Amino acid sequence: MSDLQTLTGMVLEAAPVGDYDKRLVLLTRERGRITAFARGARRPNSQLLAASNPFAFGSFELFPGRDAWRLSRAEIRQYFRELVMDVEGAYYGFYFLEFASFYSREEADASELLTLLYLALRALTHPAIPKKLARRIFELRTMVINGEYPQVFHCVRCGKEQELTAYAVREDGLVCRDCAGGSGQIRLDPSTVYTLQYIVTSPVRKLFTFTVSDMVLGQLEKVVDAFRERWADHAFKSLEILRESNFLK
């Protein structure tokens, strides 16, 4: 019993194993991404039944093993039931889980990423925050936590910090008015530049507290897409499903 550890986290993935068990992938504050087996979790009377589903957030009591952990007990504080009941929100939510799984690491502190994921899922349940905006905030800040993100504070060509007017895709950063021009650039409004800077530097708990115009959101989408597609060498299955659902139109 001395090996039992209590970790704070969220279920990112859940897959059936055998007749009654489940294989879980959790994002934990203390250990990063881990794999755990929940024995008997598919039995109707199992105490782990509700805790072994995606989006479940709380405290998990686990025994470490050589290749995986074993879930013994869980105290779930948030199930995100309102998100699961909303088809569009659920599609976005599953994409957020997959994105977090891709960028998380084993045996690494995941405090900031876990908080970001929790708040991003909460944002999906609030009608005042456009889901498309919540997605871009989550994607960009996740990449910031991973240490890979576009340069948004000075011109990548001359170093100038004023009059930043475009995003140079191949150079992964902004360019000023004097250096702008040519192909492979996305013209940006000053409000978009400020939005990018705000997402990169603001405390996580203040990220999902604002809205932007359709024009700014459109430019933000182009910048985040361009950077993610260059550096995330991964085909997100949940993103394809989200696209096919027509919710991104």
Side-chain angles (χ1 to χ4, degrees), residues 39-172:
R39 295 178 180 174
R42 295 165 60 203
R43 295 181 184 275
N45 61 345
S46 173
Q47 295 181 347
L48 301 178
L49 180 65
S52 300
N53 291 314
F55 304 112
F57 172 84
S59 298
F60 297 84
E61 296 183 4
L62 305 112
F63 289 100
R66 184 173 59 182
D67 300 315
W69 298 68
R70 179 170 63 83
L71 180 61
S72 173
R73 183 177 175 275
E75 182 179 339
I76 303 303
R77 299 196 289 272
Q78 175 62 269
Y79 292 97
F80 287 99
R81 289 192 178 94
E82 65 273 42
L83 181 62
V84 177
M85 297 297 291
D86 173 22
V87 176
E88 181 181 6
Y91 280 147
Y92 272 97
F94 279 111
Y95 172 56
F96 288 9
L97 296 184
E98 185 181 0
F99 203 77
S101 181
F102 176 75
Y103 277 101
S104 57
R105 300 291 181 267
E106 297 180 0
E107 295 300 326
D109 184 289
S111 299
E112 187 175 3
L113 181 56
L114 181 62
T115 300
L116 175 66
L117 176 60
Y118 179 86
L119 294 175
L121 295 176
R122 286 282 301 270
L124 292 177
T125 68
H126 293 290
I129 303 174
K131 291 180 174 60
K132 290 183 178 180
L133 176 60
R135 171 192 167 186
R136 302 310 179 165
I137 295 172
F138 177 71
E139 288 174 325
L140 180 54
R141 189 52 178 259
T142 298
M143 291 187 288
V144 170
I145 295 172
N146 193 56
E148 301 173 352
Y149 56 96
Q151 172 54 252
V152 297
F153 292 97
H154 61 73
C155 176
V156 293
R157 294 181 179 174
C158 72
K160 185 178 179 180
E161 297 181 357
Q162 292 77 36
E163 298 183 315
L164 301 174
T165 60
Y167 177 72
V169 176
R170 289 187 294 272
E171 295 166 82
D172 300 319

Side-chain angles (χ1 to χ4, degrees), residues 14-24 36-40 42:
V17 176
D19 293 330
Y20 300 107
D21 303 341
K22 275 189 175 183
R23 175 186 179 275
L24 309 178
F37 286 95
R39 295 178 180 174
R42 295 165 60 203

Side-chain angles (χ1 to χ4, degrees), residues 163-230:
E163 298 183 315
L164 301 174
T165 60
Y167 177 72
V169 176
R170 289 187 294 272
E171 295 166 82
D172 300 319
L174 303 188
V175 290
C176 68
R177 188 182 306 276
D178 295 335
C179 297
S183 62
Q185 295 186 4
I186 302 169
R187 301 292 297 185
L188 301 180
D189 184 85
S191 296
T192 307
V193 173
Y194 174 78
T195 300
L196 288 165
Q197 295 173 342
Y198 186 87
I199 295 171
V200 168
T201 60
S202 293
V204 171
R205 295 189 178 277
K206 292 185 177 181
L207 288 176
F208 301 96
T209 59
F210 67 92
T211 59
V212 296
S213 67
D214 290 341
M215 177 198 67
V216 171
L217 178 56
Q219 294 177 355
L220 179 64
E221 289 181 316
K222 291 178 181 178
V223 171
V224 176
D225 275 344
F227 187 84
R228 188 196 69 246
E229 290 169 3
R230 269 176 56 81

